Amino acid sequence: MPLRWKGDSVQVLMVTSRDTGRWIVPKGWTMKGVAPWAAAAIEALEEAGVKGHIAKDVFGTYRYDKGLGDGSTVPCEVDVYPMIVEQMKSDWKEKSERTRKWFFVDQAADLVDEPELASLLKQLVRKPKKAPVAGAMLKRIA
């Protein structure tokens, strides 16, 4: 979950999904031989073109049903690792397949389809510096 401060509020960088165009946070499958937090950093770079400091601890988890090409779905559980964005690339792997945009976290919570993800985002609205895992990172850069 790529994050930054904008004034006194926190923003999250969202990307559009390739299949439906809905707003999501960058995410992906686990990678053999790669720590989960490191895989999350790779996905953020590939999907959103961002690099930064990523937490090794999970901020939270949400579930959703991923649609497959054959029309079936598979239940997925996503561990969310907060990242403080330090660099945004102008060109990245999935640039032609996705749109990226910064949203204040309350706006982002209203845009996502997954209620559990919306709940995680809402933790960053009122007292972001007190949110688990993400709060400590946000305090350091405030």
Side-chain angles (χ1 to χ4, degrees), residues 4-127:
R4 73 176 183 187
W5 282 107
K6 184 74 169 186
D8 292 335
S9 299
V10 177
Q11 289 187 315
V12 60
L13 185 66
M14 307 283 285
V15 296
T16 53
S17 68
R18 288 187 290 194
D19 52 350
T20 64
R22 73 188 195 292
W23 290 105
I24 61 171
V25 293
K27 63 185 181 316
W29 301 102
T30 56
M31 300 174 188
K32 187 175 181 175
V34 178
W37 56 268
I42 291 167
E43 291 296 334
L45 178 59
E46 290 179 357
E47 293 184 2
V50 292
K51 291 183 173 187
H53 179 74
I54 192 160
K56 294 181 182 179
D57 295 318
V58 174
F59 171 55
T61 301
Y62 72 94
R63 287 168 275 293
Y64 77 105
D65 291 327
K66 178 167 182 60
L68 301 178
D70 64 4
S72 65
T73 61
V74 60
C76 293
E77 186 172 280
V78 179
D79 289 333
V80 177
Y81 295 87
M83 168 192 276
I84 302 301
V85 173
E86 297 169 344
Q87 179 186 9
M88 289 186 69
K89 296 180 138 314
S90 58
D91 192 30
W92 68 96
K93 185 176 181 179
E94 297 182 15
K95 179 180 181 177
S96 65
E97 302 171 58
R98 301 180 188 272
T99 300
R100 69 179 179 189
K101 184 176 178 182
W102 287 103
F103 293 97
F104 289 103
V105 288
D106 56 340
Q107 295 171 304
D110 290 338
L111 290 173
V112 297
D113 290 340
E114 302 83 4
E116 293 169 317
L117 177 56
S119 179
L120 288 174
L121 289 163
K122 287 176 183 175
Q123 289 184 47
L124 297 169
V125 175
R126 288 194 52 218
K127 295 184 179 179

